[in-house]
Amino acid sequence: MEHVVGASSSQTKYFAHSITGRGTRAWEPLAQHLAWVACGPDGGSGSRAFASKFGVPAWGELLGWWHDLGKYSDAFQQYLKASSDEEQGDPHRLDLRGTVDHSTTGAVHAYRKDAARGCLLAYCIAGHHAGLPNWTALPGESGGSSLSSRLAKPPLEATSALQNAPASLLDQPLPPMPLLTLARGDVRRQAFQLAFMVRMLFSCLVDADFLATEAFMDPARAAVRPGTCPTMAELAQKLAQHIAMVSCRRGPNAVVARHRAMVLDACLAAAQREPGLFALTVPTGGGKTLSSMAFALNHAARHSLDRVIVAIPFTSIIEQNAAVYRTALGLDAVLEHHSNLDVRRADEQSVRDRLAAENWDAPVVVTTNVQLLESLFAARPSRCRKLHNIVRSVIVLDEAQALPPNLLAPTLAALHELVTNYGCSIVLCTATQPALEQRSEFPIGLPDPHQIVPAERREELFTALRRVEVEQVGALDDAAVVERLAKHEQVLCVVNTRVHASTLFTSLRHRLEEAVAMHRSGHEIPRAGTCLHLSASMCARHRTALLRVIRRRLARGLPCRVISTQLVEAGVDIDFPVVFRALAGLDSIAQAAGRCNREGKLSVPGRVLVFEPTNAKPPPFLRSAINATAQVLPDHADLLSPAAQHDYFRLHYWDEGQRSGWDRPAGQGADASKVLDCFGDGGALLQFRQAEQLYQLIPDGQHPVFVPYGRVSVRLKRQLLGMPEPPRRGFDRQLQRLVVNLFEHQVQSLHENTLLYPVDRTYGRLVLSNPNAYDRLVGLRLDTAGWDPDELVA
């Protein structure tokens, strides 16, 4: 469409962006902006190139040409002049600012061209600033915000825009429907697939629009964006050299080292297979972290895939894994993207990382399940920008069995779609028995993933790397648990709630202090030693510092008793000789066992003791898993055996999966939130915003409270309270490592005890007013009854 780029002089009076205080010669011509979004400044990128990765370049290009048709309206051009005018005293000019709808025009034009195909474009165009809309408004939602109402009653300026736009631009034909591999005879599944494609196209458009606008408005920022990256083959070679170097060091015993090498060989062999679904089932300590990356990089190099994405369930271990990958692959190769990311550096590398996080423009991305999976159901442009860069990737789902059962149906449908139509390979990594594979009792599962480690070798692995014995010790009250813990110098106890962890920790500290006093009076006791607490009541910086202390004490053979919530389980690299685990899901018990005799250095098996707390009730979201484990306990003395795990997953995942598949009503099963109902009517009647609201791995209702920890918190708190406007993103990211997330009733408790500054929940942040409410041992304390209000900091 060179005719648009080289528009006639009559078209040069239309602009896309103005620059305050400068004349129109410095403004961006609308024809140039449309061309840059459609095809990029170089004619070979933009939305067309992004969409070409999944076979629909013409769709991506047309979105670029039509997305800003509304800017051809006289009203929008007047708005640009008013917004850039240095004299802001004219009320009429002020009234023009921010009132011109320029995104509906292109949507209306596409829909009028062809209702079926044009509607798919209309979702993207209408939502390219505010987000993908619903087809019909929800109760309580403005009726005018739905796509159906905007198409039926376009704004007055749409008529002006379509009259002014060049005919050669408006007359472009709609492309044929994409050749998706659709589910046969399943209308609901086909509607889901159609919605998935619209979201991918939306990603192409909004990222191209962001980048094109940035290139004109802020070329200095655009120049800092990541440039040439190492190839997948180069990274695979670097990883191989790193693994060889690590293997030469003195590490785990010979048996562990030999079996880790076997896992690595199996991963390298499987990397040569065609893209698709893979499963890597290896017990804890089997070297999954590096071996799965070796598979991913070699597989990507073999099949010319674009990047590797590693998704991890919890932020508590993502920094640990990202550090391992950076050491092996180099700083420039690895993007770490999650809410607790530490971005204190102000150098150019940190700036590039922040820019790359906007659209995952990096060869290796280490992120969380929340970032990856919620983006697949997102409607907002900022969350969707990265989606087209997920296409043709290797996605490693670490601890795949940790996916929430109530969202399994939509989650597995999205993962299957990435493999079916978007050229991805997905690796399901787990230390337990496979849980997400399709089978008769689990029809919504992923079909026939290739087992990287064959079944006979898996049995050998689980036998050879079995380094613990699990004991069922029955019901115990807190006093009995404390007495047992006090007898061990190095012991980890994992429980299900923050309150229970804090209670046990306090009791154990008192017990050890009493023991020290008795020792001084002449009684013989074991060494008391250090007692530590670890939970989400502590901010991320606090937890990171504590984990360093724990590892150091364990390495030096010093006493170390730790009471923790389950955040310590999924991959945290610590190694205790004894672990106590409160009754939980069998997969959680297996993860806790992975913190026991992890490197196989004990001469006897480590001990994992499973107990049923009598003084603490489990949270509601864990009750289903605990009930499934309770049913398994009587029939299996060995809770880590394949038979026990099979029975557990049958009860916890597979039975629930049958209750909520594509053709079953949603309830308390695998789609309890009814996400799939947003795409259940067939055709193009899609509810994007509703799906985003319903698909939440971490439900809304938690509020971040800024807490005082370390010297940096003093400076940040002063800055935050003095800010007259919302904090910058870089500043906000620093705050994220100094917050504790609380539910509404907990926040209300702090308010009632006047422990929070009345900061209007400032820009999403609450600030703890009394530093004494944040305990250096247990984190944020909610048991504030009896505090003297006169001691509170104003």
Side-chain angles (χ1 to χ4, degrees):
M1 297 185 65
E2 295 178 359
H3 52 283
V4 177
V5 180
S8 66
S9 59
S10 64
Q11 294 300 320
T12 58
K13 67 178 182 179
Y14 297 104
F15 300 95
H17 300 104
S18 61
I19 298 179
T20 302
R22 298 186 63 183
T24 56
R25 288 190 177 184
W27 295 7
E28 182 180 31
L30 179 53
Q32 174 183 290
H33 176 68
L34 298 180
W36 282 16
V37 175
C39 298
D42 56 1
S45 55
S47 186
R48 176 183 176 87
F50 296 159
S52 68
K53 294 190 296 184
F54 51 101
V56 288
W59 283 77
E61 181 177 351
L62 195 57
L63 281 172
W65 290 119
W66 285 358
H67 80 288
D68 272 354
L69 284 179
K71 290 186 177 181
Y72 278 107
S73 72
D74 296 332
F76 185 84
Q77 295 302 311
Q78 292 173 24
Y79 155 76
L80 281 185
K81 291 180 173 62
S83 64
S84 65
D85 200 323
E86 292 182 329
E87 295 183 10
Q88 297 293 328
D90 186 342
H92 174 67
R93 288 176 179 264
L94 286 173
D95 287 343
L96 285 171
R97 300 191 67 184
T99 61
V100 180
D101 175 359
H102 73 271
S103 59
T104 301
T105 301
V108 169
H109 179 66
Y111 189 68
R112 288 174 178 174
K113 280 272 202 178
D114 182 283
R117 289 174 294 161
C119 188
L120 304 182
L121 295 171
Y123 279 108
C124 301
I125 296 171
H128 77 272
H129 284 298
L132 286 166
N134 290 325
W135 175 255
T136 57
L138 299 175
E141 188 178 38
S142 170
S145 65
S146 68
L147 183 60
S148 58
S149 63
R150 292 170 68 180
L151 295 176
K153 296 180 179 179
L156 295 176
E157 48 263 31
T159 301
S160 166
L162 293 175
Q163 289 173 345
N164 295 336
S168 57
L169 180 61
L170 299 177
D171 291 342
Q172 292 302 306
L174 291 175
M177 283 296 290
L179 296 176
L180 297 174
T181 300
L182 295 173
R184 293 184 178 180
D186 192 336
V187 176
R188 294 186 67 199
R189 184 69 176 250
Q190 291 173 1
F192 175 84
Q193 293 179 292
L194 199 64
F196 204 92
M197 186 202 69
V198 171
R199 199 180 286 105
M200 280 293 183
L201 284 170
F202 181 65
S203 170
C204 298
L205 172 61
V206 296
D207 194 32
D209 192 22
F210 269 103
L211 294 174
T213 301
E214 180 184 80
F216 175 76
M217 301 293 291
D218 193 353
R221 176 184 171 96
V224 180
R225 285 193 175 273
T228 304
C229 296
T231 66
M232 293 291 112
E234 291 169 342
L235 292 177
Q237 183 61 34
K238 291 185 71 172
L239 182 64
Q241 293 170 353
H242 173 77
I243 292 175
M245 180 181 65
V246 170
S247 300
C248 292
R249 299 173 184 168
R250 184 177 179 181
N253 65 37
V255 173
V256 172
R258 184 172 68 253
H259 284 87
R260 285 181 180 175
M262 185 269 282
V263 172
L264 176 61
D265 289 343
C267 286
L268 295 176
Q272 305 306 308
R273 295 178 64 91
E274 290 300 308
L277 285 166
F278 296 84
L280 179 59
T281 305
V282 175
T284 299
K288 289 195 304 295
T289 300
L290 290 177
S291 292
S292 61
M293 180 58 72
F295 167 86
L297 292 173
N298 282 275
H299 187 67
R302 173 71 175 82
H303 299 289
S304 302
L305 303 183
D306 295 339
R307 61 185 40 80
V308 172
I309 300 168
V310 180
I312 297 172
F314 308 113
T315 56
S316 57
I317 62 164
I318 190 171
E319 292 170 334
Q320 166 189 299
N321 286 24
V324 170
Y325 295 139
R326 283 200 193 94
T327 300
L329 305 176
L331 192 64
D332 291 337
V334 180
L335 169 67
E336 184 181 348
H337 185 206
H338 56 92
S339 61
N340 285 336
L341 183 62
D342 192 349
V343 288
R344 288 170 291 174
R345 303 192 324 274
D347 57 17
E348 187 175 284
Q349 176 66 44
S350 181
V351 174
R352 281 200 300 270
D353 285 350
R354 288 198 295 272
L355 294 177
E358 294 175 356
N359 59 358
W360 283 5
D361 187 9
V364 176
V365 178
V366 186
T367 189
T368 59
N369 285 353
V370 172
Q371 284 285 349
L372 172 65
L373 298 176
E374 288 191 357
S375 293
L376 297 177
F377 292 87
R380 287 168 289 171
S382 60
R383 295 297 297 273
C384 289
R385 276 187 68 182
K386 65 176 79 75
L387 291 181
H388 70 89
N389 277 332
I390 296 176
V391 174
R392 294 188 55 77
S393 295
V394 183
I395 301 171
V396 179
L397 289 178
D398 195 21
E399 310 299 347
Q401 80 287 340
L403 296 177
N406 62 314
L407 290 172
L408 269 185
T411 300
L412 298 183
L415 295 176
H416 191 201
E417 188 64 9
L418 285 173
V419 173
T420 302
N421 285 308
Y422 298 92
C424 291
S425 283
I426 292 179
V427 186
L428 306 171
C429 274
T430 177
T432 59
Q433 287 293 299
L436 302 178
E437 299 177 8
Q438 189 179 77
R439 60 194 78 206
S440 59
E441 64 265 50
F442 191 54
I444 65 170
L446 296 172
D448 196 27
H450 172 73
Q451 292 292 338
I452 293 176
V453 179
E456 63 275 10
R457 303 304 299 272
R458 290 204 304 274
E459 293 181 10
E460 176 188 338
L461 270 176
F462 276 84
T463 299
L465 296 180
R466 184 68 174 270
R467 299 181 299 279
V468 301
E469 291 181 349
V470 179
E471 306 171 33
Q472 302 177 35
V473 296
L476 295 178
D477 61 19
D478 287 354
V481 174
V482 166
E483 284 301 315
R484 286 172 175 254
L485 295 176
K487 295 177 181 178
H488 300 279
E489 291 191 355
Q490 292 189 338
V491 61
L492 169 66
C493 179
V494 183
V495 295
N496 295 320
T497 67
R498 302 184 201 181
V499 173
H500 196 202
S502 176
T503 301
L504 280 177
F505 168 76
T506 302
S507 298
L508 181 58
R509 276 194 75 219
H510 290 162
R511 170 69 179 81
L512 295 174
E513 288 169 356
E514 292 173 358
V516 170
M518 291 177 64
H519 180 61
R520 288 171 180 165
S521 64
H523 293 81
E524 290 294 331
I525 62 164
R527 285 189 296 165
T530 300
C531 178
L532 298 170
H533 167 273
L534 198 60
S535 80
S537 292
M538 299 166 163
C539 66
R541 284 176 62 88
H542 195 170
R543 296 198 303 266
T544 299
L546 272 175
L547 283 170
R548 284 197 298 266
V549 172
I550 291 169
R551 292 186 182 107
R552 186 164 58 245
R553 295 191 68 84
L554 290 173
R556 295 176 180 176
L558 299 174
C560 186
R561 301 174 179 90
V562 178
I563 312 291
S564 176
T565 58
Q566 59 267 37
L567 66 82
V568 79
E569 288 177 344
V572 175
D573 190 10
I574 52 179
D575 191 353
F576 284 85
V578 180
V579 171
F580 283 71
R581 184 53 168 103
L583 188 63
L586 201 56
D587 50 339
S588 293
I589 293 172
Q591 290 300 321
R595 307 320 115 202
C596 183
N597 195 19
R598 184 177 179 85
E599 297 296 336
K601 295 180 180 180
L602 298 179
S603 59
V604 294
R607 296 179 65 199
V608 177
L609 298 98
V610 178
F611 66 97
E612 184 177 354
T614 61
N615 297 109
K617 294 182 179 180
F621 65 89
L622 289 182
R623 288 173 187 165
S624 173
I626 290 174
N627 289 338
T629 302
Q631 294 181 61
V632 169
L633 289 179
D635 299 327
H636 299 279
D638 182 2
L639 294 181
L640 300 184
S641 68
Q645 292 176 27
H646 180 277
D647 287 352
Y648 167 76
F649 283 118
R650 175 180 55 79
L651 293 165
H652 183 47
Y653 270 178
W654 305 336
D655 286 356
E656 293 294 324
Q658 290 194 79
R659 292 170 54 191
S660 186
W662 285 98
D663 56 349
R664 295 171 174 83
Q668 297 303 310
D671 188 16
S673 299
K674 300 185 180 181
V675 176
L676 296 177
D677 286 1
C678 298
F679 318 110
D681 295 329
L685 312 183
L686 310 172
Q687 298 289 95
F688 287 102
R689 292 193 183 184
Q690 184 181 7
E692 180 182 62
Q693 294 168 5
L694 295 175
Y695 188 94
Q696 296 182 35
L697 271 69
I698 301 177
D700 281 343
Q702 286 196 313
H703 304 279
V705 176
F706 177 84
V707 298
Y709 178 79
R711 295 177 183 176
V712 67
S713 67
V714 177
R715 172 180 59 82
L716 293 175
K717 178 179 177 181
R718 189 184 306 118
Q719 288 179 255
L720 178 64
L721 295 179
M723 279 186 172
E725 57 187 32
R728 300 179 308 277
R729 178 174 295 184
F731 178 85
D732 195 58
R733 293 286 289 275
Q734 292 183 65
L735 293 185
Q736 286 174 333
R737 287 185 55 78
L738 289 162
V739 302
V740 173
N741 289 306
L742 299 179
F743 291 104
E744 180 64 36
H745 72 277
Q746 296 170 318
V747 170
Q748 188 60 38
S749 173
L750 292 178
H751 272 300
E752 291 172 355
N753 287 280
T754 60
L755 293 173
L756 293 176
Y757 280 113
V759 217
D760 180 34
R761 305 206 170 178
T762 301
Y763 316 123
R765 293 286 181 240
L766 299 168
V767 181
L768 197 65
S769 60
N770 188 338
N772 294 323
Y774 191 81
D775 190 286
R776 65 182 181 85
L777 298 178
V778 297
L780 182 58
R781 300 188 67 96
L782 296 174
D783 52 342
T784 55
W787 285 22
D788 184 357
D790 294 334
E791 295 180 355
L792 301 179
V793 179

